[in-house]
């Protein structure tokens, strides 16, 4: 929402994750408060990949971390299956977290530099204390499935390339048999050639393990490749959300259109609308938060927060003036 | 490459670093040239030697680097330039912009001090004249409230604003050549487009040559006259930009294009990653650097070093033993 | 404003802690009465001195309980009254007024020498890091760190004052010139380990600053090497040096005890050693207070300089 409301939540399906009115605020110096995420709602159904896009600082990572309660959100609800995570006791939360695994942007620094990679993959399981038949065979199998030769199990992370480290962190996440995999810019630090390897790997693993995914990236082409649904965020709110084909083929929110136009080689005429700086999240604009940069803004945009409205079968956006001429990617 | 007298020309440039683990052959036999007023793109994955090549031209390499080959600027040998010429070469005839705007400015010096020092040193401008010129330059790069920014410190500006300042600074003495090393990689797509447009406009307005380094083919595609594709410290293919995309001969150049997700294609398109990872440059090559990852490799690729082979009139060259034909292009 | 309040609070806390410990220790270690009266303070010297003893006890309030004496002493101190020396009944204040300036000059002198030598030296070594000059400098600076101050003092004294007679053997202070020459050797003795410490720290920080992108940017602007070193690299590299500069005040004071004795300089270091030997605890306490104030003051100054050096440091943060 560069807007608010929950019209876009799917009532007819049974979501594995449902986030309602999520707010995350951080107090900073001089009594200011960074409104990192303001009233965000979304849902993800079993087996689906939701891509989250937006400019740096728009609250993508904060939203993802709030889902796993690291840290707990300022307000709002996060439901995982039938559990309300925000009110779960520490112990129950710990148990639930193994169902929700995260992988991060910087593959090298997210791995313990002093341990062999086999131990790294095993360690998550030890920490969670998952009981049962956890065999070395399973670790070997996991390493094979992410494309790391099991005979390198004793090597330390620095002996691997960035792409290989990302494979190792994926294996570590999968070791816990999660249902949901949350990836925060998992390929942003990788070379294009290796990026494609990881994207294919994630896609394969998703099928194989029947994962549900939250996939964060600032690269729209990457998100397009991997997502079933897409959520576009701007300054702590959701602008547009829906079926990926519909969002990319038929973007109607001025912000989404501007984002698409900014892609190098997109072939879209540059109307310069996104020039200018992102406003401060500790003092966001009134009304529609995008109005300071929006070429279609009018009076009402500066005063009234737009609510979600339906634009297509699974296509929702929060804007007072949805654009009827979609931008087309060449 | 296109005809005319080149402004900067590198001939068989090689750079080796002495490291505790033995020599690193970072750049081998690189030849390229750029004409006055033209734009040259250099693309390749990280570690392919793009930055090191340009740092050699800018005399920014550490003392552990040994440089071979020739680099001429306007007919003068840059690597053996007499000190009288050197004194007013860097920052006057050529200027450079770096990847990370966050760290490119001295955090403890105000913008005006950093902007004016180059002009004052090279051109003996008075403090006031230098300040006036600084404001002009900041307006040229479309920094909002140019005059007001002069007394600010870098940390008071956003990443995009800082990169504008860095570019303005590079333009201070009207360079004939601007080298931009991944100037937008650290920035948001929306800001990236602004900065790239700015560089484009400046080049035509100031009749300046531009070397635009990027790992993103999309960035280079729309904005350069010629492109050089590098891998493992060597030039793989070099051509006028449209030829490179229309008539790709080198398997690496092609693989790079294919590995990038295409935003206009719907979800689930299988990507074509380049298997394996970039080469280790610590042993000298006996064959093609791309051989271990190349799907077209044959036995001779591992033992014979391919040399630059011309296509047609010779403005398009590739270094491959088994090049792709016309029919194989995308 | 917050900065001022914080600094004052810091000062009060440090003073309280230091004086409380020092006052307690000195009180329970020696017998103050003995120090004041000599042998007649002892009961065994006979009943005829009982009255003298009682008088002295009353005059110096020796019979009051500890907290009261401590409280009274703090109160007096706040009004600038540090009491009288037990040994010769001179006011501590006049002793301080007499001796303190000499020591302050000595310390400032030592710090000035340390900075004046270490900064250019560090710049020189950092600009040629890991080459011969730098490696040789490392050996030299470790040697300087290794020599104990007393040994260095003796060595300097013997070589320069006795053997070559380049400097006076006795402290003279008729003119400023005399003062500076007679304090030169002691200041060098104090400065030597500082020079080495500062040089090592600054060199390391400079080397890492010189790797920063903004240095490449400055070089790409074609600015001369010395300019980049002084105008770009130096300021952002001063933080560790500055921190240690503040902390070194304490060790300088320790060093002055040794040095002032050797060179017979009538400073506070010399005085305090004497005072400790004769259990003259008003003097010792006064010096402890002065040193603590100086320590806190220098470190507040260091904080202030931080904010000047780095615009990102929030003055009130
Ligand atoms: N712990 C924190 N304290 C204060 N502000 C914070 C904190 N964490 C995040 N923020 C702020 O919240 C906003 C959203 O941050 P977030 O990291 O979610 O952005 P993002 O969309 O993931 O951006 P990026 O693409 O750069 O990763 C930003 O303005 C950020 O500065
Ligand atoms: N100072 C150095 N010492 C040793 N190796 C170096 C040094 N600088 C760069 N290299 C190596 O040179 C190669 C090319 O690096 P670079 O030009 O930075 O690549 P890029 O194409 O990403 O700009 C890399 O393998 C890198 O590790
Ligand atoms: S038209 Fe109005 S509501 Fe819609 S995005 Fe622009 S400013 Fe926001
Ligand atoms: S020379 Fe051989 S290995 Fe190298 S790119 Fe050509 S086909 Fe591939
Ligand atoms: Mg993030
Ligand atoms: Mg580079």
């Amino acid at each position: 929402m560069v807007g608010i409301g929950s019209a876009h939540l799917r009532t007819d399906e049974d979501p594995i994750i449902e986030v309602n009115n999520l707010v995350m605020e951080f107090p900073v110096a001089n009594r200011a408060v960074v409104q990192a995420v303001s009233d965000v709602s979304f849902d993800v159904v079993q087996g689906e990949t939701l891509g989250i896009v937006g400019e740096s600082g728009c609250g993508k990572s904060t939203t993802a971390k709030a889902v796993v309660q690291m840290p707990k959100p300022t307000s709002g609800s996060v439901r995982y299956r039938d559990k309300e995570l925000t009110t779960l006791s520490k112990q129950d939360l710990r148990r639930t977290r193994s169902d929700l695994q995260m992988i991060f942007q910087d593959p090298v620094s997210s791995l313990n530099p002093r341990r062999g990679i086999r131990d790294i993959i095993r360690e998550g399981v030890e920490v969670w204390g998952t009981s049962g038949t956890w065999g070395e065979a399973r670790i070997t199998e996991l390493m094979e499935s992410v494309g790391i030769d099991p005979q390198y199990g004793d090597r330390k992370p620095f002996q691997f390339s960035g792409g290989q480290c990302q494979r190792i962190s994926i294996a570590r996440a999968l070791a816990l048999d999660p249902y949901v995999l949350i990836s925060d810019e998992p390929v942003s630090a990788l070379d294009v050639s290796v990026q494609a390897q990881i994207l294919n790997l994630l896609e394969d693993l998703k099928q194989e393990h029947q994962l549900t995914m939250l996939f964060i990236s600032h690269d729209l082409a990457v998100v397009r490749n991997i997502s079933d649904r897409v959520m576009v965020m701007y300054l702590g709110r959701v602008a547009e959300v829906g079926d990926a084909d519909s969002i990319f083929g038929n973007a109607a929110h001025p912000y989404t259109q501007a984002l698409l136009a900014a892609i190098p080689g997109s072939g879209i005429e540059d109307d310069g609308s996104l020039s200018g700086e992102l406003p401060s999240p500790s003092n966001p604009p009134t009304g529609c938060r995008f109005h300071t940069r929006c070429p279609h803004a009018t009076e009402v945009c500066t005063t009234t927060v737009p609510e979600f409205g339906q634009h297509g079968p699974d296509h929702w956006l929060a804007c007072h003036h949805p654009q009827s001429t979609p931008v087309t990617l060449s | 490459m296109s005809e005319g007298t080149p402004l900067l020309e590198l001939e068989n440039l090689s750079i080796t670093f002495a490291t505790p683990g033995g020599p690193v052959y970072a750049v081998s036999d690189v030849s390229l040239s750029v004409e006055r007023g033209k734009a040259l793109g250099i693309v390749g994955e990280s570690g392919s030697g793009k930055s090191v090549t340009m740092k050699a031209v800018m005399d920014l390499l550490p003392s552990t680097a040994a440089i071979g080959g020739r680099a001429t600027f306007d007919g003068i040998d840059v690597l053996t330039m007499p000190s009288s010429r050197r004194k007013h070469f860097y920052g006057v005839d050529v200027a450079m912009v770096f990847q990370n705007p966050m760290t490119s400015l001295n955090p403890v010096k105000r913008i005006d001090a950093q902007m004016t020092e180059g002009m004052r040193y090279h051109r003996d401008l008075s403090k006031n004249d230098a300040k006036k010129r600084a404001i002009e330059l900041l307006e040229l790069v479309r920094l909002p409230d140019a005059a007001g920014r002069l007394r600010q410190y870098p940390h008071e500006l956003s990443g995009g604003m800082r990169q504008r300042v860095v570019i303005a600074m590079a333009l201070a003495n009207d360079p004939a050549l601007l080298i931009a090393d991944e100037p937008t990689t650290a920035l948001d797509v929306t800001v990236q487009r602004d900065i790239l447009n700015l560089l484009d406009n400046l080049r035509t307005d100031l009749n300046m040559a531009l070397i635009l380094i990027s790992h993103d083919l999309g960035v280079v595609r729309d904005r350069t006259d010629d492109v050089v594709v590098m891998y493992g410290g060597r030039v793989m293919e070099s051509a006028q930009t449209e030829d490179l995309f229309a008539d790709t001969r080198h398997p690496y150049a092609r693989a790079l294009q294919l590995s990038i997700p295409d935003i206009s294609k719907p979800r689930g398109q299988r990507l074509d990653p380049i298997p394996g990872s970039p080469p280790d440059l610590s042993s000298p090559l006996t064959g093609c650097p791309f051989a271990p990852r190349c799907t077209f490799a044959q036995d001779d690729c591992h033992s014979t070093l391919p040399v630059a082979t011309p296509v047609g009139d010779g403005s398009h060259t590739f270094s491959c033993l088994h090049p792709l034909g016309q029919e194989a292009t995308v | 404003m917050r900065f001022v309040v914080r600094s004052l609070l810091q000062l009060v806390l440090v003073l309280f802690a230091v004086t409380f410990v020092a006052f307690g220790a000195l009180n329970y270690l020696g017998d103050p009465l003995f120090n004041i009266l000599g042998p007649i303070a002892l009961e065994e010297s006979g009943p005829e001195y009982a009255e003298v003893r009682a008088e002295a006890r009353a005059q110096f309030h020796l019979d009051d309980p500890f907290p009261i004496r401590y409280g009274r002493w703090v109160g007096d101190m706040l009004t600038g009254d540090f009491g009288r020396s037990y040994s010769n009944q001179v006011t501590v204040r006049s002793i301080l007024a007499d001796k303190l300036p000499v020591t302050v000059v000595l310390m400032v002198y030592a710090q000035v020498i340390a900075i004046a030598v270490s900064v250019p030296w560090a710049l020189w070594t950092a600009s040629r890091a890991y080459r011969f000059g730098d490696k040789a400098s490392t050996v030299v600076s470790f040697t300087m760190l290794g020599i104990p101050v007393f040994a260095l003092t003796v060595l300097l004294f013997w070589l320069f004052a006795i053997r070559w007679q380049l400097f006076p053997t006795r402290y003279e202070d008729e003119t400023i010139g005399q003062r500076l020459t007679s304090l030169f050797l002691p200041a060098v003795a104090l400065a030597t380990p500082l020079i080495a410490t500062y040089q090592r720290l600054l060199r390391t920080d400079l080397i890492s600053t010189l790797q920063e992108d903004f240095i490449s940017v400055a070089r790409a602007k074609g600015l001369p090497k010395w300019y980049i070193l002084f105008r770009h690299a130096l300021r952002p590299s001063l933080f560790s040096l500055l921190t240690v500069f503040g902390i070194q005040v304490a060790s300088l004071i320790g060093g002055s005890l040794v040095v002032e004795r050797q060179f017979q300089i009538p400073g506070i270091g010399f005085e305090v050693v004497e005072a400790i030997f004769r259990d003259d605890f008003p003097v010792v306490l006064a010096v402890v207070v002065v040193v603590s104030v100086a320590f806190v003051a220098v470190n507040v100054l260091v904080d202030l300089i931080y904010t000047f050096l780095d615009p990102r440091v929030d003055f009130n943060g």
Side-chain angles (χ1 to χ4, degrees):
Chain A
M1 330 181 200
V2 169
I4 47 170
S6 53
H8 58 296
L9 295 181
R10 290 163 290 180
T11 41
D12 49 336
E13 300 198 50
D14 187 19
I16 184 163
I17 289 178
E18 184 173 332
V19 172
N20 262 297
N21 309 101
L22 183 77
V23 175
M24 184 68 102
E25 292 175 348
F26 300 101
V28 287
N30 300 325
R31 301 221 179 84
V33 173
V34 173
Q35 305 185 20
V37 174
S38 307
D39 204 356
V40 161
S41 306
F42 62 91
D43 51 14
V44 191
V45 299
Q46 167 81 46
E48 182 174 83
T49 300
L50 175 68
I52 306 181
V53 293
E55 284 168 280
S56 177
C58 70
K60 306 183 291 291
S61 303
T62 309
T63 303
K65 287 185 202 150
V67 169
V68 289
Q69 310 294 303
M70 293 195 303
K72 274 191 192 295
T74 312
S75 69
S77 99
V78 177
R79 293 189 72 79
Y80 165 67
R81 295 187 191 275
D82 50 359
K83 290 186 196 126
E84 173 58 50
L85 299 187
T86 50
T87 54
L88 223 51
S89 74
K90 269 210 176 88
Q91 246 178 3
D92 290 340
L93 189 58
R94 230 162 56 100
R95 230 167 275 140
T96 313
R97 270 207 195 117
S98 66
D99 285 2
L100 309 159
Q101 283 300 301
M102 270 191 97
I103 51 182
F104 298 95
Q105 170 166 1
D106 185 353
V108 184
S109 73
S110 63
L111 301 175
N112 184 342
R114 280 182 296 274
R115 302 193 70 173
I117 59 160
R118 216 185 164 87
D119 291 340
I120 290 177
I121 296 170
R122 192 190 300 109
E123 112 194 312
V125 189
E126 286 164 359
V127 171
W128 296 112
T130 312
S131 57
T133 51
W134 184 263
E136 289 301 306
R138 173 99 169 91
I139 300 180
T140 306
E141 189 185 308
L142 266 172
M143 289 175 74
E144 272 164 0
S145 76
V146 298
I148 295 286
D149 192 334
Q151 78 184 48
Y152 295 147
D154 295 331
R155 294 200 180 172
K156 306 282 183 333
F158 69 85
Q159 289 168 294
F160 293 92
S161 70
Q164 289 170 319
C165 286
Q166 198 58 287
R167 290 168 189 272
I168 295 161
S169 48
I170 292 171
R172 177 180 57 178
L174 292 181
L176 294 154
D177 270 328
Y179 291 98
V180 180
L181 189 63
I182 301 174
S183 323
D184 191 355
E185 309 257 10
V187 295
S188 305
L190 305 176
D191 266 314
V192 278
S193 67
V194 180
Q195 165 180 309
Q197 298 171 10
I198 300 293
L199 288 174
N200 280 351
L201 173 68
L202 281 174
E203 189 59 37
D204 292 345
L205 293 171
K206 186 191 153 177
Q207 305 299 342
E208 199 178 304
H209 298 252
Q210 290 164 3
L211 295 169
T212 304
M213 282 214 278
L214 271 181
F215 187 96
I216 297 173
S217 178
H218 65 269
D219 185 334
L220 289 132
V222 165
V223 166
R224 166 107 230 226
N225 178 265
I226 202 157
S227 310
D228 301 301
R229 292 183 94 228
V230 175
M231 175 161 95
V232 183
M233 289 184 72
Y234 183 79
L235 216 61
R237 295 203 155 148
V238 179
E240 193 162 9
V241 59
D243 174 67
D245 290 339
S246 187
I247 299 280
F248 282 105
N250 206 7
H253 195 286
Y255 178 63
T256 314
Q257 294 194 338
L259 264 188
L260 289 170
I263 301 168
S266 66
I268 300 169
E269 191 61 35
D270 167 20
D271 63 357
S273 63
L274 263 191
S275 317
E277 298 292 325
L278 200 67
S280 157
S282 50
N283 184 21
T286 54
C288 170
R289 288 189 176 177
F290 187 50
H291 81 248
T292 54
R293 298 166 83 195
C294 179
H296 309 290
T298 59
E299 189 63 34
V300 63
C301 305
T302 63
T303 53
T304 316
V305 184
E307 288 201 26
F308 272 96
Q310 188 157 18
H311 189 73
D314 178 22
H315 189 156
W316 306 81
L317 76 159
C319 173
H320 294 300
H321 311 293
Q323 298 302 299
S324 45
T325 35
V327 297
T328 7
L329 296 162
S330 61
Chain B
M1 297 221 168
S2 16
E3 290 139 55
T5 44
L7 180 64
L8 176 76
E9 185 166 27
L10 308 184
E11 291 166 85
N12 308 103
L13 197 77
S14 294
I15 299 156
T16 310
F17 291 99
T19 71
V24 172
Y25 302 90
V27 170
S28 312
D29 245 342
V30 165
S31 300
L32 55 83
S33 66
V34 60
E35 286 164 43
R36 217 172 265 283
K38 289 282 170 71
L40 169 72
I42 304 182
V43 283
E45 293 171 74
S46 76
S48 59
K50 309 181 295 290
S51 301
V52 170
T53 305
M54 286 305 135
K55 281 183 177 167
V57 173
M58 293 302 291
D59 190 27
L60 290 175
L61 291 176
S63 56
T64 50
I67 308 175
R70 261 161 66 86
T72 49
F73 183 88
D74 219 3
I76 310 161
D77 192 328
V78 176
L79 303 175
T80 59
M81 207 161 29
S83 64
S84 56
R85 181 75 183 84
R86 275 177 78 84
K87 201 168 166 198
H88 294 297
F89 179 70
Y90 299 109
V92 183
D93 292 318
V94 279
M96 187 159 172
V97 174
F98 297 83
Q99 173 167 352
N100 192 346
M102 294 312 190
T103 54
S104 287
L105 292 167
N106 190 330
V108 306
K109 293 186 86 167
R110 292 182 202 272
I111 303 297
D112 54 355
Q114 305 197 46
M115 291 236 20
T116 54
E117 60 186 2
M119 313 172 205
R120 299 192 62 199
Y121 174 72
H122 291 295
R123 298 220 234 150
D124 248 342
L125 289 190
S126 75
K127 208 167 192 167
N128 260 332
D129 290 346
K131 223 163 238 178
K132 270 188 219 134
R133 172 104 176 108
I135 296 177
E136 264 172 45
L137 287 165
L138 291 178
E139 277 164 358
L140 186 67
V141 299
R142 299 209 312 269
L143 185 74
D145 182 25
R149 304 290 175 192
L150 285 181
R151 297 303 290 164
Q152 290 190 315
Y153 285 101
H155 70 99
E156 296 170 75
L157 308 182
S158 72
M161 284 153 87
R162 283 188 223 186
Q163 198 61 303
R164 282 172 205 272
V165 171
V166 175
I167 292 171
M169 222 157 69
L171 299 175
N173 297 311
D174 302 312
L177 169 65
L178 180 68
I179 300 172
D181 187 355
E182 312 219 19
T184 58
T185 303
L187 301 173
D188 263 320
V189 267
T190 55
V191 187
Q192 161 171 306
R193 185 190 47 179
D194 269 10
I195 299 282
L196 291 174
N197 287 349
L198 172 69
L199 286 173
D200 252 1
N201 296 337
L202 290 171
R203 179 169 67 87
T204 27
D205 294 351
L206 308 177
N207 190 31
M208 181 178 72
L210 175 70
I211 294 182
L212 182 63
I213 298 178
S214 179
H215 63 263
D216 186 344
L217 278 168
V219 163
V220 160
R221 185 169 193 162
D222 298 346
R223 299 171 196 275
T224 56
D225 301 299
D226 301 291
V227 187
V228 167
V229 179
M230 286 183 71
Y231 183 77
R234 292 174 179 272
V235 174
M236 298 290 105
E237 187 159 9
S238 165
Q240 288 182 18
T241 307
E242 62 252 40
D243 289 350
L244 186 103
F245 286 96
D247 184 15
T248 311
R249 294 304 176 101
H250 199 285
Y252 176 66
R254 170 111 179 280
L256 258 191
Q257 295 170 46
L258 291 178
S259 65
I260 301 169
D262 183 346
I263 189 155
S264 59
K265 297 224 175 86
R267 163 180 168 65
Q269 63 160 314
R270 198 69 191 165
L271 296 171
D272 292 304
I274 306 176
S277 41
D280 171 19
L281 299 174
S282 56
S283 50
L285 286 167
T286 48
C288 171
F290 191 51
R293 304 174 76 189
C294 180
T295 39
F296 300 90
Q298 296 177 22
D299 288 347
D300 53 348
C301 297
H302 296 274
S303 53
T304 316
L305 195 66
V307 293
T309 315
V311 183
D313 68 350
S315 74
H316 183 172
T317 60
F318 59 84
S319 301
C320 173
L321 300 176
H322 309 286
L324 310 165
Q326 197 95 38
E327 70 288 349
T329 55
V330 277
Chain C
M1 198 53 222
R2 262 195 11 230
F3 177 77
V4 176
V5 171
R6 210 176 46 201
S7 307
L8 285 175
L9 213 66
Q10 196 185 347
L11 180 65
V12 170
L13 278 175
V14 170
L15 277 182
F16 174 75
V18 169
T19 54
F20 193 82
V21 170
F23 193 87
L26 287 171
N27 249 289
Y28 289 106
L29 287 177
D31 175 3
L33 197 61
F34 184 88
N35 300 319
I36 297 164
L37 298 179
I40 58 167
L42 305 174
E43 302 284 339
E44 307 91 84
S45 2
E48 61 269 38
Y49 298 114
E51 211 166 297
V52 183
R53 282 199 292 266
E55 214 172 277
R57 277 181 182 287
Q59 190 193 337
F60 289 94
H61 306 288
L62 294 180
D63 289 330
D64 292 343
F66 178 82
I68 292 190
R69 275 187 295 144
Y70 176 72
R72 180 182 300 118
W73 177 75
V74 169
D76 287 349
M77 200 179 60
L78 287 177
T79 64
D81 177 4
F82 289 89
R84 285 168 185 279
S85 160
Y86 286 162
S87 62
N88 51 12
Q89 311 293 311
V90 181
T91 58
V92 173
R93 204 158 126 176
S94 69
I95 296 178
L96 288 181
D98 206 22
K99 317 274 177 174
L100 201 56
V102 183
T103 304
V104 170
V105 169
L106 176 62
M107 286 180 184
V108 174
Y109 203 177
Q111 288 279 30
V112 169
I113 292 175
I115 295 288
V117 176
S118 61
V119 171
W121 188 14
L123 284 166
W124 185 77
T125 46
S127 71
R128 55 194 56 247
Y130 310 114
R131 285 197 260 153
F132 178 76
D134 177 41
K135 286 183 179 157
S137 294
T138 304
V139 176
V140 174
S141 59
F142 276 117
T143 315
M144 289 168 72
L145 271 176
I147 305 176
V149 174
F150 74 87
L152 186 66
T153 313
V154 173
L155 186 75
L156 288 173
F157 188 75
W158 184 78
L159 274 181
F160 292 94
I162 298 181
R163 176 112 193 234
W164 296 323
Q165 305 196 345
L166 294 171
F167 292 92
T169 48
R170 299 190 49 240
Y171 179 69
E172 296 155 3
D173 63 355
E174 313 277 274
T175 65
I176 293 192
Q178 275 184 355
R179 215 175 247 240
L180 290 184
T181 32
S182 21
L183 286 180
F184 184 75
L185 287 182
V188 168
L190 285 179
T192 300
L194 295 189
I195 292 172
T197 312
Y198 294 170
Q199 189 266 345
R200 300 305 309 157
L201 279 174
L202 185 55
R203 171 190 168 276
T204 310
D205 285 2
L206 273 169
I207 287 174
S208 70
T209 304
L210 286 172
Q211 308 288 324
E212 298 272 355
D213 287 348
F214 64 82
I215 297 293
S216 294
V217 172
R219 287 175 62 190
K221 278 196 260 181
L223 297 170
K225 218 173 156 176
W226 62 265
Y227 180 96
I228 293 173
L229 218 47
F230 275 91
R231 305 296 297 272
H232 277 281
L234 185 56
R235 222 170 101 184
S237 310
L238 285 173
F239 296 98
S240 324
L241 177 72
L242 201 61
T243 308
V244 172
F245 178 90
I247 296 166
Q248 288 294 340
V249 169
S251 79
L252 262 180
I253 287 160
S256 76
L257 303 189
V258 178
V259 171
E260 287 185 4
R261 232 184 136 66
Q262 172 71 31
F263 286 92
Q264 298 290 310
I265 298 164
I268 213 76
F270 190 77
E271 182 65 29
V272 84
V273 174
E274 306 269 289
I276 289 168
F277 282 135
R278 57 174 196 257
D279 283 348
D280 194 350
F281 87 85
V283 174
V284 177
L285 273 180
V287 172
V288 167
V289 171
V290 168
V291 168
S292 315
V293 172
F295 186 77
V296 174
V298 169
N299 283 287
V300 167
L301 192 71
V302 163
D303 281 351
L304 268 175
I305 300 175
Y306 272 143
T307 63
F308 160 76
L309 279 183
D310 190 346
R312 290 165 300 182
V313 175
D314 183 3
F315 196 66
N316 285 318

